[in-house]
């Protein structure tokens, strides 16, 4: 299946900061999905991207589908405490497949 | 709409015991999935059902069986639980058709400990 590499593995945020994370694939994707998981909960779909170069926002979150189709980026603007959690990228196991491969996640924690 | 529901939320088993994890969705989705999540490993697909009446193995199927009971329900069975199956199990569903065919929606999870 597809290998997805997320970075950074973890990050600390300070309230009000802009933060970003990315995901790279060993193969070309035609779909990128970003999920957030709060402690003790299931992942929740944040943003779906279907076109190379596409930039899509959901409130303070913005995600981009990389031009090479092998990467995607997620930005959080003006962080707030409830942004803590684990953010996962996901993409189809094979082209046009409904099965997904997931990255290992970026853990976001509030800096004391 | 409840979305995807899972029962139970927590379970403790002894090695060798069996149990079935239940999942139901009310979104009229065609495809359903079972994942396990272990620390630092992300989500790994155990089994999936592309449509009612079909099931297929995912990345880590050993030690599990599934049943797609009807369009709404997809159960995961551990026949003889092992400590290596201690994990958090998530069920998910997707439309499986159209532009958003692979947008998956997850349940709240079942936290399973095998002693």
């Amino acid at each position: 299946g597809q290998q997805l590499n997320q970075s950074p593995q973890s990050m600390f945020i300070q309230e009000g900061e802009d933060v970003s994370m990315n995901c790279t694939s060993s193969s070309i994707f035609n779909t990128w999905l970003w999920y957030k998981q709060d402690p003790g909960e299931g992942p929740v779909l944040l943003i779906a991207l279907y076109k190379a170069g596409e930039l899509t926002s959901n409130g303070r979150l913005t995600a981009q589908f990389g031009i090479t189709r092998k990467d995607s980026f997620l930005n959080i603007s003006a962080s707030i405490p409830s942004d803590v959690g684990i953010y996962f990228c996901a993409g189809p196991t094979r082209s046009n497949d409904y099965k997904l491969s997931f990255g290992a996640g970026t853990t976001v924690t509030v800096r004391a | 709409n409840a979305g995807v529901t899972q029962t139970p939320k927590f379970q403790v088993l002894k090695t060798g015991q069996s149990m079935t994890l239940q999942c139901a969705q009310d979104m009229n989705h065609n495809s359903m999935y079972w994942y396990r999540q272990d620390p630092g490993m992300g989500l790994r697909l155990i089994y999936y059902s592309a449509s009612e009446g079909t099931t297929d193995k995912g990345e880590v199927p050993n030690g599990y069986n599934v049943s797609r009971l009807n369009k709404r329900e997809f159960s995961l069975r551990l026949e003889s639980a092992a400590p290596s199956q201690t994990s958090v199990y998530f069920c998910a569903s997707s439309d499986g058709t159209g532009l958003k065919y692979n947008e998956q929606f997850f349940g709240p999870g079942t936290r399973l400990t095998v002693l």
Side-chain angles (χ1 to χ4, degrees):
Chain A
Q2 308 274 22
Q3 293 266 336
L4 293 182
N5 297 305
Q6 275 190 255
S7 65
Q9 200 170 14
S10 62
M11 62 166 57
F12 291 90
I13 62 170
Q14 198 141 25
E15 193 166 349
E17 270 186 334
D18 295 346
V19 298
S20 61
M21 59 195 79
N22 68 7
C23 194
T24 59
S25 165
S26 56
S27 305
I28 289 173
F29 274 13
N30 55 22
T31 302
W32 282 100
L33 304 173
W34 284 93
Y35 287 84
K36 183 193 178 204
Q37 185 176 26
D38 290 328
E41 305 286 333
V44 173
L45 181 62
L46 298 173
I47 294 177
L49 302 161
Y50 289 100
K51 203 166 144 184
E54 182 181 355
L55 192 71
T56 298
S57 293
N58 177 3
R60 293 176 297 102
L61 305 175
T62 302
Q64 183 162 25
F65 193 140
I67 298 281
T68 66
R69 299 175 64 188
K70 288 188 174 184
D71 55 10
S72 180
F73 307 88
L74 178 69
N75 296 311
I76 306 173
S77 62
S79 303
I80 60 177
S82 62
D83 289 333
V84 303
I86 306 176
Y87 292 80
F88 293 101
C89 62
T93 307
R94 294 189 306 275
S95 182
N96 296 322
D97 199 356
Y98 41 73
K99 299 194 302 296
L100 297 176
S101 291
F102 286 82
T106 293
T107 301
V108 175
T109 314
V110 174
R111 185 181 292 140
Chain B
N1 282 359
V4 179
T5 56
Q6 292 182 237
T7 55
K9 288 197 172 180
F10 300 94
Q11 184 72 49
V12 178
L13 293 177
K14 293 181 180 175
T15 297
Q17 285 185 316
S18 62
M19 79 160 295
T20 300
L21 281 64
Q22 307 286 353
C23 173
Q25 52 90 11
D26 63 2
M27 296 176 281
N28 200 35
H29 281 171
N30 294 299
S31 305
M32 297 185 73
Y33 313 82
W34 277 105
Y35 291 90
R36 61 177 289 172
Q37 184 176 40
D38 302 293
M41 303 282 293
L43 289 149
R44 293 184 293 168
L45 184 65
I46 304 171
Y47 269 94
Y48 66 100
S49 171
S51 59
E52 189 179 353
T54 70
T55 60
D56 281 291
K57 294 177 181 179
E59 187 184 348
V60 288
N62 291 347
Y64 306 95
N65 284 301
V66 290
S67 296
R68 183 75 182 265
L69 304 168
N70 47 56
K71 191 170 185 180
R72 289 187 64 245
E73 298 172 289
F74 189 37
S75 62
L76 178 73
R77 182 158 178 85
L78 286 71
E79 289 292 351
S80 179
S84 60
Q85 294 178 304
T86 293
S87 188
V88 182
Y89 291 86
F90 289 102
C91 177
S93 70
S94 68
D95 192 338
T97 62
L99 177 65
K100 301 184 179 183
Y101 64 97
N102 59 6
E103 290 183 14
Q104 293 184 17
F105 297 87
F106 285 79
T110 294
R111 282 136 190 89
L112 175 68
T113 301
V114 183
L115 302 174

